[in-house]
Amino acid sequence: LLPTETFGFVPADAVLPAPTPAAAGTNLPVIAMVRATVRYPYDVSFVGIENVDDRTAYHLQLDPRQARDAYPLREIWIDTSTYDVLQVVAQMFEHLGPLAIPYRVSARYAEQGPYWLIAHAEAGATVHAGLFSYGSSANADFEDFQYAP
């Protein structure tokens, strides 16, 4: 992900048309406006406010409006004060003949020197075939980066 990537999210105080009111009986705060674009056609739901590596973040769920294979993002955590993307979860598909096997990838970002880089990544998949299931997972931490002068 590029540092300039915003997934269509902009701060709530940006000059945009007024948001559609929340459904009657809800007190959900407006934290951002979402602009659906051809590149990121998601329906976005506010899950809650959570901590990610000691930073307060908005947890958002993203549901693709079309072609789930083509739009893998499923969840995103955005810092409440800086709007930095702290963590994402994607669901992708491995195609083996007629089978599309879903697997999930989670990436947590951290400031590493002058850049934001992936600090931790996890991936996992489970294949169900008749009475048999096979699961696989992996995770990795990335740290101690050195930068050329």
Side-chain angles (χ1 to χ4, degrees), residues 14 56 111 119 137 147 149:
T56 305
E111 202 166 2
S137 64
Y147 302 95

Side-chain angles (χ1 to χ4, degrees), residues 89-111:
V89 172
Q91 180 175 335
M92 294 179 254
F93 296 86
E94 179 70 32
H95 294 276
L96 298 173
L99 298 176
I101 301 166
Y103 64 96
R104 291 179 68 84
V105 176
S106 174
R108 190 170 56 240
Y109 298 87
E111 202 166 2

Side-chain angles (χ1 to χ4, degrees), residues 13-135:
D13 59 356
V15 179
L16 295 171
T20 305
T26 64
N27 293 321
L28 296 176
V30 175
I31 60 168
M33 294 292 297
V34 178
R35 294 184 197 157
T37 65
V38 173
R39 190 169 173 198
Y40 298 111
Y42 295 98
D43 287 323
V44 180
S45 302
F46 177 69
V47 176
I49 296 177
E50 301 175 8
N51 284 326
V52 176
D53 289 336
D54 297 325
R55 294 177 72 170
T56 305
Y58 298 119
H59 179 185
L60 305 174
Q61 180 177 332
L62 289 82
D63 293 311
R65 294 181 181 153
Q66 59 188 350
R68 296 182 75 79
D69 281 9
Y71 301 98
L73 289 177
R74 296 297 183 262
E75 295 179 80
I76 188 169
W77 287 259
I78 300 172
D79 187 285
T80 58
S81 59
T82 64
Y83 296 99
D84 291 329
V85 175
L86 301 177
Q87 182 172 330
V88 297
V89 172
Q91 180 175 335
M92 294 179 254
F93 296 86
E94 179 70 32
H95 294 276
L96 298 173
L99 298 176
I101 301 166
Y103 64 96
R104 291 179 68 84
V105 176
S106 174
R108 190 170 56 240
Y109 298 87
E111 202 166 2
Q112 303 276 340
Y115 306 103
W116 275 85
L117 302 172
I118 295 175
H120 180 78
E122 297 178 13
T126 301
V127 178
H128 300 284
L131 299 174
F132 301 99
S133 292
Y134 173 76

